[in-house]
């Protein structure tokens, strides 16, 4: 279930400069808001069939970058100046039972900050809208709203980040979706195995800093692109609702169905 949050920019608090790398801070906001209502959170997980005694954190969600209609990029300082008065943020959860009231109740009228040690922006949640899911079919086209992260471990135990056009990308995506299916339903995926993943434009590489400017800083590479995917409906839905690739709960792999106008511009 997907939600569109309309956020007002409160410039009076800290200004309007946002770090270019802000995905980790977005994720921290979501976890912080969830933790404030731990009892409701536990009830929600229980309603959706999760075994709380297992101790495994619930991470079957993803989210978009902030959609800022009017902005100025300051590359030297790695900042974004927000010129719009409001921005849009989409957050998508895989479970559906009780999710609408639960999420709306948690996020309504929230005030939070996103930023780092150099600059921070305060946002106020003004409206929460439930977005309808696409009419899922076994072959669909999508556009990334946050970078796709794909990784492959080398024989020397190192890690390579894969481009979506890599010959290994399709298998990595299918493996990830199958694992997410098992995590959600509590059983291995045993349905149809027809799967195909095709990139429709030149992927744009994005290097994202996690925990920027701290001793724990790491860098994750992802790719923005349009793609066509052929998959069973169960896996198509999981991909749309909880993301494609890895690190989805850190702001990677959020997608939207490709606009009809873009389909003619390939």
């Amino acid at each position: 279930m997907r939600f569109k949050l309309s956020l007002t920019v409160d410039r009076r608090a800290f200004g309007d400069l946002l770090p270019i790398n802000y995905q980790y801070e977005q994720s921290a906001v979501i976890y912080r808001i969830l933790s404030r209502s731990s009892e409701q959170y536990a009830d929600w997980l229980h309603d959706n069939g999760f075994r709380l005694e297992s101790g495994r954190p619930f991470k079957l969600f993803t989210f978009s970058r902030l959609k800022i209609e009017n902005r100025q990029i300051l590359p030297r300082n790695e900042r974004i100046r927000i010129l719009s008065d409001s921005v849009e943020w989409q957050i998508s959860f895989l479970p559906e039972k009780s999710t609408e009231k639960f999420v709306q109740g948690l996020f309504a009228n929230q005030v939070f900050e996103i930023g780092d040690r150099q600059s921070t922006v305060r946002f106020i949640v003004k409206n929460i809208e439930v977005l309808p899911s696409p009419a899922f079919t076994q072959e669909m086209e999508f556009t990334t709203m946050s970078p796709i992260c794909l990784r492959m471990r080398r024989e020397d135990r190192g890690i390579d980040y894969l481009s979506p056009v890599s010959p290994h990308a399709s298998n990595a995506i299918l493996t990830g979706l199958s694992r997410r299916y098992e995590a959600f339903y509590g059983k291995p995926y045993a349905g149809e195995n027809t799967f195909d993943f095709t990139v429709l434009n030149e992927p744009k590489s994005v290097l994202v800093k996690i925990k920027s400017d701290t001793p724990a800083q790491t860098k994750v590479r992802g790719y923005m692109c349009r793609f066509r995917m052929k998959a069973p409906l169960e896996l198509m839905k999981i991909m749309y609702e909880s993301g494609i690739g890895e690190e989805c709960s850190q702001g990677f792999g959020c997608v939207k169905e490709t606009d009809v106008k873009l389909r003619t511009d390939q």
Side-chain angles (χ1 to χ4, degrees):
M1 182 171 285
R2 184 164 297 196
F3 299 84
K4 182 175 73 175
L5 277 62
S6 298
L7 311 176
T8 296
V9 180
D10 184 3
R11 290 183 171 80
R12 297 171 300 176
F14 304 107
D16 57 10
L17 282 181
L18 190 70
I20 286 178
N21 290 278
Y22 59 80
Q23 289 178 218
Y24 174 78
E25 286 72 19
Q26 283 180 290
S27 177
V29 165
I30 295 174
Y31 280 112
R32 191 158 55 244
I33 291 175
L34 289 173
S35 68
R36 290 175 186 166
S37 228
S38 57
E39 185 174 343
Q40 287 176 275
Y41 182 47
D43 289 343
W44 179 59
L45 290 177
H46 182 270
D47 288 345
N48 283 282
F50 290 91
R51 297 181 178 180
L52 302 182
E53 64 271 15
S54 67
R56 292 184 61 184
F58 171 74
K59 291 187 176 181
L60 294 179
F61 69 86
T62 187
F63 53 87
S64 71
R65 289 174 160 184
L66 297 176
K67 182 179 180 182
I68 308 170
E69 292 290 351
N70 194 6
R71 63 183 183 175
Q72 179 185 9
I73 304 296
L74 307 174
R76 179 176 297 180
N77 301 318
E78 296 188 332
R79 305 289 118 181
I80 301 170
R81 171 161 281 121
I82 302 176
L83 303 177
S84 306
D85 292 328
S86 61
V87 302
E88 178 186 308
W89 186 16
Q90 291 191 24
I91 306 176
S92 185
F93 296 89
L94 183 55
E96 293 191 348
K97 294 181 181 178
S98 311
T99 299
E100 181 174 347
K101 290 183 179 179
F102 169 71
V103 171
Q104 287 180 327
L106 285 186
F107 283 86
N109 303 314
Q110 285 281 357
V111 177
F112 57 83
E113 291 82 39
I114 294 177
D116 58 16
R117 295 176 180 179
Q118 296 182 46
S119 60
T120 298
V121 178
R122 174 173 288 174
F123 297 97
I124 303 170
V125 179
K126 281 301 182 182
N127 187 56
I128 306 174
E129 177 185 351
V130 179
L131 298 179
S133 297
F136 292 109
T137 61
Q138 293 188 340
E139 185 170 352
M140 301 178 70
E141 294 178 15
F142 297 96
T143 302
T144 54
M145 300 179 74
S146 58
I148 298 176
C149 173
L150 299 171
R151 291 182 291 207
M152 184 174 67
R153 190 172 293 278
R154 301 192 304 263
E155 291 183 1
D156 63 2
R157 308 304 293 171
I159 291 177
D160 288 329
Y161 287 97
L162 302 177
S163 166
V165 297
S166 164
H168 302 288
S170 182
N171 184 64
I173 292 169
L174 178 58
T175 299
L177 291 175
S178 299
R179 288 175 178 169
R180 213 168 301 161
Y181 177 96
E182 184 172 358
F184 183 58
Y185 289 105
K187 59 182 180 181
Y189 177 72
E192 298 180 23
N193 57 7
T194 301
F195 184 82
D196 184 67
F197 176 84
T198 304
V199 177
L200 300 177
N201 64 346
E202 184 69 27
K204 179 182 178 181
S205 176
V206 181
L207 190 62
V208 179
K209 294 179 183 178
I210 305 297
K211 298 185 179 180
S212 182
D213 297 326
T214 72
Q217 175 179 299
T218 58
K219 295 180 180 179
V220 178
R221 187 170 298 282
Y223 292 83
M224 303 291 287
C225 65
R226 301 201 313 272
F227 64 91
R228 179 185 300 113
M229 194 170 97
K230 180 184 294 185
L233 294 180
E234 303 98 315
L235 298 185
M236 190 73 79
K237 178 178 172 61
I238 285 177
M239 186 280 297
Y240 177 81
E241 300 288 7
S242 64
I244 183 171
E246 300 181 53
E247 301 291 348
C248 296
S249 63
Q250 294 294 327
F252 290 86
C254 184
V255 305
K256 63 179 180 179
E257 189 177 15
T258 299
D259 188 279
V260 174
K261 294 179 182 179
L262 290 177
R263 290 178 182 155
T264 61
D265 183 25
Q266 297 178 12

